[in-house]
Amino acid sequence: MLRLDWNLLFNAINIIILFLLLKHFLFRPVNQIIEKRREEAEQQFKEAKDLTDQAQETKRQYEESLRSAEEEKSKIVAQARREAAGEYSRIVEEAHEKADSILDKAKAEAELEKEKVLQKAHAEIKDMVVTATTKIVTRKDNAENDKALYDEFLSKAK
């Protein structure tokens, strides 16, 4: 049978005291260390989440600024093209005006040259007529002399 004696009671009291001492000196510090590490891990997870959120926000801002830069670039390129087209039109118009001016000047010079050539030709024809007339007057009148003078006149006129 089972007997209860004082040893059993002292063993039970020792176990309870040992349990309380272990709980106070071992389990509490270990639980505190575990709690502290859990808090540190939660803090690290929170910091990692904050960094991830911050990185996402930075990425979003970067993409937005990149998009804004692309739009600005497109606007600048479009403006430059409009200005270039305007400049091109102005240069072409100016070139046409200069070409028309040069053409008008060339026509005027050609007309003056033509007038000079015509005046020179008229003067030469007058001289030839005067020469022919002088020869006709100084020579005797006959048909052969007239024909020879006429042929000479035509050959000089060519």
Side-chain angles (χ1 to χ4, degrees):
M1 281 214 151
L2 197 60
R3 209 172 44 127
L4 286 177
D5 63 359
W6 287 103
N7 279 337
L8 187 60
L9 181 65
F10 283 127
N11 280 338
I13 292 173
N14 281 337
I15 289 176
I16 291 173
I17 291 174
L18 183 63
F19 174 75
L20 290 175
L21 287 174
L22 284 176
K23 183 179 177 186
H24 180 68
F25 289 110
L26 180 66
F27 293 141
R28 185 176 293 163
V30 168
N31 282 339
Q32 287 175 350
I33 290 171
I34 290 172
E35 182 65 25
K36 192 175 185 181
R37 286 201 175 170
R38 188 182 56 74
E39 288 174 1
E40 286 177 3
E42 286 177 2
Q43 180 67 26
Q44 286 177 348
F45 283 129
K46 183 180 180 240
E47 288 175 4
K49 185 180 182 310
D50 290 345
L51 286 175
T52 302
D53 292 344
Q54 186 179 11
Q56 290 293 334
E57 178 64 21
T58 303
K59 180 182 175 186
R60 185 193 61 76
Q61 289 174 352
Y62 169 74
E63 288 173 349
E64 187 175 313
S65 67
L66 187 62
R67 200 174 314 113
S68 174
E70 284 293 325
E71 290 173 2
E72 186 68 24
K73 179 187 84 165
S74 297
K75 288 178 184 177
I76 290 171
V77 167
Q79 178 67 23
R81 284 185 178 157
R82 282 192 299 271
E83 289 175 4
E87 186 68 17
Y88 172 78
S89 297
R90 185 189 64 77
I91 289 171
V92 167
E93 173 117 3
E94 193 175 290
H96 279 105
E97 288 174 2
K98 284 183 180 179
D100 290 343
S101 170
I102 290 170
L103 191 59
D104 291 343
K105 188 176 178 182
K107 284 180 183 178
E109 287 178 6
E111 194 63 36
L112 284 174
E113 190 66 30
K114 179 182 170 185
E115 286 295 321
K116 286 180 183 178
V117 168
L118 284 176
Q119 288 175 356
K120 189 175 179 183
H122 282 9
E124 287 180 8
I125 290 173
K126 285 179 187 177
D127 288 343
M128 287 189 330
V129 168
V130 168
T131 305
T133 307
T134 309
K135 285 184 180 180
I136 290 174
V137 171
T138 57
R139 284 195 182 169
K140 292 185 181 181
D141 260 345
N142 86 17
E144 277 184 32
N145 284 340
D146 289 343
K147 186 173 188 251
L149 285 174
Y150 179 72
D151 288 339
E152 183 182 337
F153 174 73
L154 287 178
S155 67
K156 284 185 180 178
K158 289 183 183 176

